[in-house]
Amino acid sequence: MTEKTSYTSYDKLVRDKIPEIIRSSNRVPECEILDEDEEYPQYLIRKLYEEVLEFMEEPCVEELADIREVVDALSRVTGFERVEQIQEKKREERGGFEKRILLTGVYEDEGE
């Protein structure tokens, strides 16, 4: 009897323990380490998009936690202090989302 081996291609950023989890199920992960300055931020952005889509399909705390994990990683890559400073500045200038305001339109005075 010949043993068949199947291979599934992914090309996606995964959490640090995923290769261990795959090995524990008697499978062999194929991985590489991304370049921190160029590849890693690009894959984080792709991962953020993936996680946001999953949250939109199923809004739940688990998916929101995944989004925060990716945003935290992006913040570390870009310099968390800077992200936090910009976030605070925007909050001061434009506010947050606490008042739940939905902008439905804006009238323009055509006479001016």
Side-chain angles (χ1 to χ4, degrees):
M1 178 161 92
T2 58
E3 189 174 313
K4 291 187 178 182
T5 301
S6 66
Y7 179 81
T8 305
S9 179
Y10 287 101
D11 192 40
K12 68 187 261 182
L13 185 65
V14 295
R15 290 176 178 261
D16 297 339
K17 294 184 179 181
I18 295 300
E20 295 171 32
I21 294 168
I22 292 170
R23 281 186 203 96
S24 72
S25 65
N26 294 322
R27 296 179 293 162
V28 179
E30 182 179 56
C31 305
E32 64 181 74
I33 305 300
L34 296 170
D35 174 78
E36 186 173 1
D37 296 327
E38 293 182 23
E39 294 174 313
Y40 184 50
Q42 293 171 2
Y43 275 88
L44 280 169
I45 291 167
R46 286 174 53 183
K47 189 67 172 182
L48 179 60
Y49 180 74
E50 173 190 328
E51 297 298 348
V52 168
L53 287 178
E54 289 176 7
F55 180 75
M56 291 173 68
E57 289 175 12
E58 185 183 342
C60 63
V61 70
E62 288 81 7
E63 296 299 341
L64 190 56
D66 288 342
I67 291 170
R68 286 194 60 179
E69 188 68 34
V70 177
V71 169
D72 286 351
L74 272 168
S75 296
R76 286 190 298 275
V77 167
T78 60
F80 184 77
E81 298 80 20
R82 185 167 181 264
V83 173
E84 204 169 65
Q85 291 168 354
I86 292 169
Q87 179 184 1
E88 185 58 36
K89 181 180 178 197
K90 284 186 165 198
R91 188 179 294 124
E92 288 174 11
E93 292 173 355
R94 296 173 169 239
F97 295 98
E98 290 80 21
K99 293 182 181 179
R100 305 181 313 273
I101 298 169
L102 175 67
L103 181 65
T104 57
V106 175
Y107 291 98
E108 300 286 337
D109 186 358
E110 295 179 16
E112 292 182 17

